[in-house]
């Protein structure tokens, strides 16, 4: 009787392990399918942003999921710092557009490596976002073309201008002693 119970328990254990293995394979296949859908949707939006911001002749930034636990974001042809930053910005803008995310914050640290027409086009892209909030920290606005500078300073946009010696955020430099 005891032997029959042990055999039955062993058969049950094998059946449970077999089902777990099948469920794991099903889950991995579903994960791969979902990640593929996310990749396709995000890349379609990133591609349109690339054309608008970087230009038609630049290879689009790509998001990919080589495995279910890793991702890559960037360009195969350009792995420079500026491309890394613009890749992150384009991904963020895609997530803002494609989800219910209500706001986006980009610091001047990200923006500082983007120059010329790309910066102008990026600011124009930010300015087109009207249904969500965008917080942007940008240095040297005086270097912008007049039409872009006008976007940064238009009604409804709050501009905080910071400077040394009392014009810092909250009135003082945090790194100064005393």
């Amino acid at each position: 009787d005891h032997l029959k119970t042990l055999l039955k328990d062993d058969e049950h254990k094998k059946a449970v392990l077999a089902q777990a293995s099948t469920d794991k394979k099903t889950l991995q296949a579903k994960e791969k399918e979902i990640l593929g859908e996310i990749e396709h949707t995000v890349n379609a939006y990133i591609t349109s942003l690339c054309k608008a911001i970087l230009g038609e002749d630049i290879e689009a930034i790509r998001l990919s999921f080589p495995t279910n636990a890793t991702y890559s974001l960037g360009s195969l042809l350009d792995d420079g710092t500026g491309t890394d930053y613009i890749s992150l910005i384009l991904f963020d803008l895609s997530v803002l557009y494609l989800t219910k995310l209500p706001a986006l914050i980009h610091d001047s640290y990200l923006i500082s490596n983007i120059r010329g027409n790309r910066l102008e086009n990026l600011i124009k892209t930010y300015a087109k976002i009207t249904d969500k909030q965008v917080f942007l920290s940008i240095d040297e606005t005086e270097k912008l073309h007049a039409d872009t500078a006008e976007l940064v300073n238009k009604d409804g946009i709050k501009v905080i201008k910071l400077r040394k010696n009392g014009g810092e955020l909250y009135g003082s430099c945090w790194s100064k002693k005393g």
Side-chain angles (χ1 to χ4, degrees), residues 23 30 67 76 85 97 107 138:
D23 290 348
K30 190 66 174 169
T67 70
L76 294 174
Y85 289 147
Y97 173 78
D107 189 30
I138 184 169

Side-chain angles (χ1 to χ4, degrees), residues 13-40:
K13 181 179 177 183
K14 286 179 183 176
V16 167
L17 289 174
Q19 184 62 48
S21 177
T22 300
D23 290 348
K24 183 176 180 180
K25 288 176 185 172
T26 302
L27 178 62
Q28 287 172 333
K30 190 66 174 169
E31 256 183 341
K32 186 173 182 160
E33 177 187 335
I34 291 169
L35 289 174
E37 290 171 10
I38 291 170
E39 191 176 297
H40 175 76

Side-chain angles (χ1 to χ4, degrees), residues 55-71:
E56 295 281 338
D57 59 337
I58 301 296
E59 179 195 40
I61 304 301
R62 306 294 298 164
L63 170 69
S64 67
F65 297 100
T67 70
N68 65 348
T70 62
Y71 75 94

Side-chain angles (χ1 to χ4, degrees), residues 100-145:
K100 293 181 181 182
L101 189 69
L104 175 70
I105 300 172
H106 281 160
D107 189 30
S108 59
Y109 181 78
L110 279 176
I111 312 272
S112 64
N113 287 294
I114 303 167
R115 307 251 188 276
N117 287 339
R118 289 179 173 187
L119 178 59
E120 303 282 332
N121 294 338
L122 179 60
I123 291 172
K124 290 173 184 173
T125 300
Y126 286 126
K128 291 177 187 174
I129 300 169
T130 58
D131 58 335
K132 299 184 180 193
Q133 289 186 309
V134 175
F135 299 89
L136 175 63
S137 172
I138 184 169
D139 297 327
E140 301 176 346
T141 55
E142 66 278 355
K143 292 183 179 179
L144 297 172
H145 291 122

Side-chain angles (χ1 to χ4, degrees), residues 59 61 73-85 87:
E59 179 195 40
I61 304 301
L73 178 67
S75 167
L76 294 174
L77 300 178
D78 183 355
D79 62 354
T81 302
T83 299
D84 287 346
Y85 289 147
S87 296

